[in-house]
Structures are given as C-alpha cells and as structure tokens.
Amino acid sequence: MAATYRSREGLSTRPAAYGGNSDEIQLRIDPIHGDFDEEVTGLRKQVRRLRDVAQEIETEAKFQNDFLNQLQMTLIKAQAGVKNNMRRLNKSIIREGSSHIMHVILFALLCFFIVYLWSKFSRR
C-alpha cells in the first residue's frame, strides 16, 4: 500500500479507491488549513493577465507580419525596377557602342592633368 503524504497547506494524498497497483492518486483538500477561494481568485487574475499578454503578443505578431509582407512587396517592386533599368542600360550601351568608355577614360586623364598642373603651380 502506498504511503500517505500530507502538506502544510492541508492537501493530502491517498491511493486510488479502485486498483491496488495503480500509479494514480486522489487529492483530498482539507478546508481547515487554507483559504482556497483567495488562491483561486489570485490564480484567475494571473491567468487573466497572461491571457491579456498573449493577446497583445498576438496583435503585435500580426502587425509585424503585415509589415514584413509590405516590405517584401516593396523589395520585389524595387528589384523589378532595377532589373528593368539594367535592361535599358544594356540596350543603350549596345546601341551607342563603347564610346562612353572612351569618354570616361578621357575625363579621367583630363582630371589627372589638371591635378598635376595645379600641384606644379602651387609649389611656387
């Protein structure tokens, strides 16, 4: 037979009424040792607070999810715009030829020459 356990709060355990080898126990509440109405009221308040926090978390999660969906749509649109602009740029490069590279090289040489002359005249 299983031993009976007793707590300070007035709870005690005993073996189940049916079956001698069962792992189940029955819980008996001794009303003399505790005011369980206050405990139950306190637990209800805590459960209510937890429910409110869970609802706030759910609301925030929905908001964040909507925000991420909008951000994803914005990125998809931006990616499509960049892709279209790259396509147009490639077409214009093919149409115009490679003369723009020559212009960039000439501009760089001109800038280098101006800096060179400026450094020569500034030493005097």
Side-chain angles (χ1 to χ4, degrees), residues 3 11 13 20 29 34 38 44 57 80 84 86 89 99 103 114 123:
L11 301 176
T13 60
I29 300 174
E38 289 179 17
R44 282 185 181 155
I57 290 172
N84 285 338
M86 287 298 294
L89 184 62
S99 65
H103 291 120
I114 290 172
R123 289 185 186 172

Side-chain angles (χ1 to χ4, degrees), residues 1-64:
M1 183 175 220
T4 301
Y5 300 101
R6 186 163 186 81
S7 71
R8 290 183 310 178
E9 290 82 20
L11 301 176
S12 61
T13 60
R14 61 184 165 157
Y18 63 91
N21 292 334
S22 175
D23 288 336
E24 295 180 15
I25 59 170
Q26 289 183 349
L27 183 65
R28 185 171 63 94
I29 300 174
D30 187 0
I32 296 173
H33 289 90
D35 188 6
F36 293 109
D37 289 336
E38 289 179 17
E39 294 290 327
V40 169
T41 302
L43 287 173
R44 282 185 181 155
K45 288 179 184 177
Q46 288 178 350
V47 167
R48 207 171 294 125
R49 269 191 268 150
L50 285 173
R51 185 191 67 213
D52 292 343
V53 168
Q55 287 174 345
E56 287 295 322
I57 290 172
E58 180 184 12
T59 302
E60 183 66 22
K62 287 180 181 178
F63 174 77
Q64 293 291 334

